[in-house]
Amino acid sequence: MVGEFEYLILSAAAHLGEEAYGAAMRERIETTAGRSCSLGALYTTLDRLEAKGLVETWMSSPTQQRGGRAKRMVKVTRNGARAAREFYEAVIRISRGTAWGEGQLNRFRRTPYEG
Amino acid sequence: MKAEARISGVGWRCIEAAAAFLTPLEREVVLGDLAETDRGAWRGLGDVVSLMALRQLALWKNWRPWAASAGLALPASLFLMGCSLAASGTVSHLLHEPTNGSLLWRSASRLFLLVSWAWMAGFAVGAVSRGTLWASMLGCCAPCFYCLSKWPGHGLSELQLFLFLMPGLWGAWRGRKHLRLGLGWALFLATMAMFTPLMWARGGWIYGCWLLWPGWYLAATAKRGPA
């Protein structure tokens, strides 16, 4: 099963589709998941995911916006989508019956110990 | 407006300088990502440094950096300092007796063995782990600096002690670039390496024998068949 950060990368890449590359994925992870993401962590995790066959990466043609530099484009493979789904379902299953589980998130947020 | 332009010239140059340690492809990707986003020079520099650090850490999970730095560069440096002393001692005797034929032969053979062993060890260091050459250099230089600080002015010039450095660096540069030798060259160097420990007196040759592995490693990984 994939790890938490691997799952975030797979989800960001899947969401961005054909526009998935380093800077865009980092932006997506930081704005949506609310956690900081260094390029070091991003690219080393991408290498690991590629070695496991969960993503494919390739170099795009250079763009003016990036000072004539190429992007490392990312695509989630079928195995990658399956691994992400397994992680997601595991999180959903394990969260059932908890205060923060499905449908109870808002109530949980109102509890005093959440601040 | 590109981030490249927004980050001050000095900041961007620092980022580019740090990125020089990445592979060319990764450098292009990372600098492109930083040029596209506006995160400031410090964050950009942090990104590049963190990537370099993680890449280095990944390299050290393998046996190769350990073998190249702690297993070869460090012990070979001590061994080669002894060989340098032995060779330069014979040469200085020869300078006092330039007509002595056997001394000429001993000087030439010792210098030849020293140069070939140092080149071979350097090549092996570069070939075994080219991504961590800085650590191997550190492993090689540490005993040199220790000897210099411990015995300053004992009649030993730096040239006598460090005769091996130039061929060693040349070998490391070639090894980093080519990774493998031709089989003939590798066998020749491995055989020559077996004679080098004989330069040592008082059992130092036993230490040298333990350091024969790079020669046979190069022979085992040599290019076979027609070039």
Side-chain angles (χ1 to χ4, degrees):
Chain A
M1 189 184 285
V2 293
E4 178 233 351
F5 191 60
E6 290 175 329
Y7 175 74
L8 290 182
I9 287 182
L10 287 170
S11 300
H15 176 85
L16 291 163
E18 292 185 358
E19 287 302 311
Y21 65 96
M25 286 165 63
R26 166 151 93 165
E27 190 72 21
R28 170 87 186 153
I29 290 169
E30 289 193 340
T31 54
T32 313
R35 62 169 282 179
S36 72
C37 169
S38 73
L39 284 182
L42 180 77
Y43 282 118
T44 46
T45 309
L46 264 182
D47 287 348
R48 200 164 57 241
L49 288 172
E50 193 168 27
K52 290 181 191 172
L54 303 183
V55 296
E56 286 169 2
T57 71
W58 69 97
M59 298 297 286
S60 74
S61 41
T63 63
Q64 193 62 39
Q65 188 195 10
R66 296 163 61 87
R69 299 183 185 91
K71 297 172 184 171
R72 184 175 174 189
M73 306 303 294
V74 181
K75 185 187 171 196
V76 180
T77 63
R78 190 172 293 206
N79 283 344
R82 190 182 304 130
R85 177 177 292 276
E86 280 171 11
F87 181 89
Y88 176 74
E89 287 174 353
V91 168
I92 294 294
R93 278 198 303 273
I94 198 79
S95 305
R96 277 189 199 132
T98 62
W100 55 86
E102 203 177 347
Q104 306 206 8
L105 194 58
N106 289 336
R107 197 186 71 185
F108 176 73
R109 277 186 181 146
R110 285 197 296 272
T111 57
Y113 52 81
E114 181 70 2
Chain B
M1 194 178 178
K2 285 183 296 182
E4 189 174 341
R6 282 190 293 261
I7 296 173
S8 72
V10 178
W12 187 256
R13 273 198 291 278
C14 287
I15 291 171
E16 281 187 321
F21 292 96
L22 299 171
T23 60
L25 214 61
E26 194 150 63
R27 190 184 316 142
E28 184 176 345
V29 169
V30 168
L31 288 180
D33 284 348
L34 292 176
E36 202 183 309
T37 50
D38 179 20
R39 287 171 181 267
W42 284 113
R43 182 102 197 259
L45 197 60
D47 273 329
V48 174
V49 171
S50 75
L51 183 56
M52 273 163 44
L54 287 169
R55 288 271 180 256
Q56 275 295 319
L57 277 177
L59 288 176
W60 288 88
K61 286 179 187 168
N62 197 288
W63 62 270
R64 288 171 170 274
W66 300 100
S69 56
L72 181 55
L74 181 73
S77 172
L78 290 166
F79 173 70
L80 284 166
M81 271 192 280
C83 293
S84 292
L85 275 181
S88 57
T90 323
V91 172
S92 55
H93 281 137
L94 179 70
L95 292 176
H96 291 109
E97 295 178 63
T99 51
N100 188 330
S102 73
L103 212 50
L104 178 68
W105 161 248
R106 270 176 62 197
S107 302
S109 59
R110 282 184 165 190
L111 280 175
F112 175 74
L113 287 175
L114 173 71
V115 169
S116 58
W117 207 100
W119 192 91
M120 179 204 70
F123 192 98
V125 161
V128 167
S129 183
R130 59 175 159 179
T132 57
L133 211 53
W134 63 270
S136 302
M137 291 287 288
L138 216 62
C140 174
C141 289
C144 300
F145 288 131
Y146 177 76
C147 286
L148 277 181
S149 66
K150 201 79 181 166
W151 299 287
H154 264 238
L156 300 174
S157 75
E158 286 85 351
L159 183 68
Q160 277 180 299
L161 211 52
F162 304 136
L163 277 178
F164 70 93
L165 273 183
M166 283 309 284
L169 288 173
W170 177 32
W173 181 70
R174 298 288 293 179
R176 185 176 184 271
K177 210 169 166 188
H178 298 287
L179 297 179
R180 285 160 63 186
L181 284 173
L183 184 60
W185 271 112
L187 284 174
F188 172 74
L189 286 172
T191 312
M192 284 295 110
M194 294 173 75
F195 292 105
T196 311
L198 297 176
M199 255 195 252
W200 278 69
R202 289 185 298 233
W205 60 273
I206 299 172
Y207 181 67
C209 288
W210 181 68
L211 284 171
L212 290 178
W213 72 264
W216 297 109
Y217 168 81
L218 291 179
T221 58
K223 287 180 263 186
R224 284 164 174 81

